[in-house]
């Protein structure tokens, strides 16, 4: 399977794994509304099927709904390793103790 992050999160949630609330959009204006629904402060994440999104500038913290809209505008259209960003996921930020990346390839 080749999944976007938001699809993987849905799969986890369907199997009882707790994930922070998040929504996906292709619109900067809608990003503002999503951020408001999620509590204001959000992480705006480019949805492309490649690694290195954060280093490329495709993952940013937005302090409030207005900043979420501006950040989404900045991320839309970015080229990340040959992938053009057309959608972003806005997620509730969480404090983490450790982070793990899992990939499985056949």
């Amino acid at each position: 399977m080749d999944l976007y992050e938001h699809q993987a999160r849905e799969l986890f949630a369907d199997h009882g794994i707790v994930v922070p609330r998040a929504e996906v959009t292709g619109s900067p204006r809608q990003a503002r509304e999503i951020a408001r629904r999620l509590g204001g402060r959000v992480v705006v994440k480019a949805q492309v099927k490649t690694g290195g999104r954060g280093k490329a500038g495709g993952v940013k913290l937005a302090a409030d709904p207005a900043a979420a809209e501006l950040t989404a505008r900045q991320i839309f259209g970015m080229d990340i390793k040959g992938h053009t960003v057309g959608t972003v996921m806005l997620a509730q930020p969480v404090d983490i103790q450790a982070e793990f990346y899992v990939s499985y390839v056949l």
Side-chain angles (χ1 to χ4, degrees), residues 11-71:
L11 188 62
F12 285 163
D14 288 347
H15 288 86
I17 299 170
V18 178
V19 294
R21 287 178 47 214
E23 295 184 42
V24 178
T25 184
S27 160
R29 176 165 261 150
Q30 191 176 27
R32 180 188 288 251
E33 179 58 29
I34 291 169
R36 188 191 61 72
R37 281 197 300 269
L38 294 177
R41 186 170 180 250
V42 293
V43 181
V44 183
K45 304 176 93 175
Q47 294 299 284
V48 291
K49 292 181 179 178
T50 188
R53 294 175 297 157
K55 289 180 182 177
V59 178
K60 296 183 179 181
L61 186 62
D64 56 50
E69 181 177 351
L70 178 62
T71 301

Side-chain angles (χ1 to χ4, degrees), residues 75-89:
I75 292 175
F76 282 120
M78 286 179 69
D79 180 287
I80 301 176
K81 296 184 181 177
H83 300 266
T84 303
V85 179
T87 57
V88 296
M89 180 180 73

